[in-house]
Structures are given as C-alpha cells and as structure tokens.
Amino acid sequence: MAPYALWYWVLPELTAGTAATVQLSVPIIAAAGGVLFLGEPFSTRLAIASVIVVGGIFVFIHSDRRAAGQ
C-alpha cells in the first residue's frame, strides 16, 4: 500500500511523459521482488534486460530536462 501512496504523492510533480516512462520500471521492480522474496533465480538475461530498461528511463528523463532548459 505504501508504494501506491508514494507514487500518487510524487505524480503531480512529474510531467506526463516522465510519469509514463517511469511506469516502465514496474516490471523491473516486480522481478526484483520475485528474486528477493520468492527465491526466483537471478539470471544474466534478467540483469541485461533490467539495465536496458533502466538505462532507457535514465536517457529519457535526462533528455527531457535538457530540452526544457534550452
């Protein structure tokens, strides 16, 4: 329940594009929960996919800030 409260507290501070992009991290968070709490195996494939998704989110968020500053 607390993550939902945190999300809706932060959401008004985000642009629509940033909020939509950050939502793409939900599967990574779910996979991390599976590894940590359910004993799911951590694989190289999961690590690579996570890095790609988080890297894409990072690139979008920083390109959005750079464009707003110009």
Side-chain angles (χ1 to χ4, degrees), residues 2-64:
Y4 286 110
L6 177 64
W7 174 249
Y8 285 110
W9 180 61
V10 172
L11 188 59
E13 305 299 321
L14 302 175
T15 65
T18 300
T21 304
V22 171
Q23 283 283 342
L24 296 173
S25 67
V26 171
I28 304 303
I29 296 167
V35 169
L36 292 173
F37 301 116
L38 301 176
E40 294 289 331
F42 183 79
S43 66
T44 304
R45 187 176 184 179
L46 176 59
I48 292 170
S50 299
V51 168
I52 290 170
V53 171
V54 172
I57 292 169
F58 179 82
V59 167
F60 177 82
I61 289 173
H62 285 285
S63 68
D64 190 34

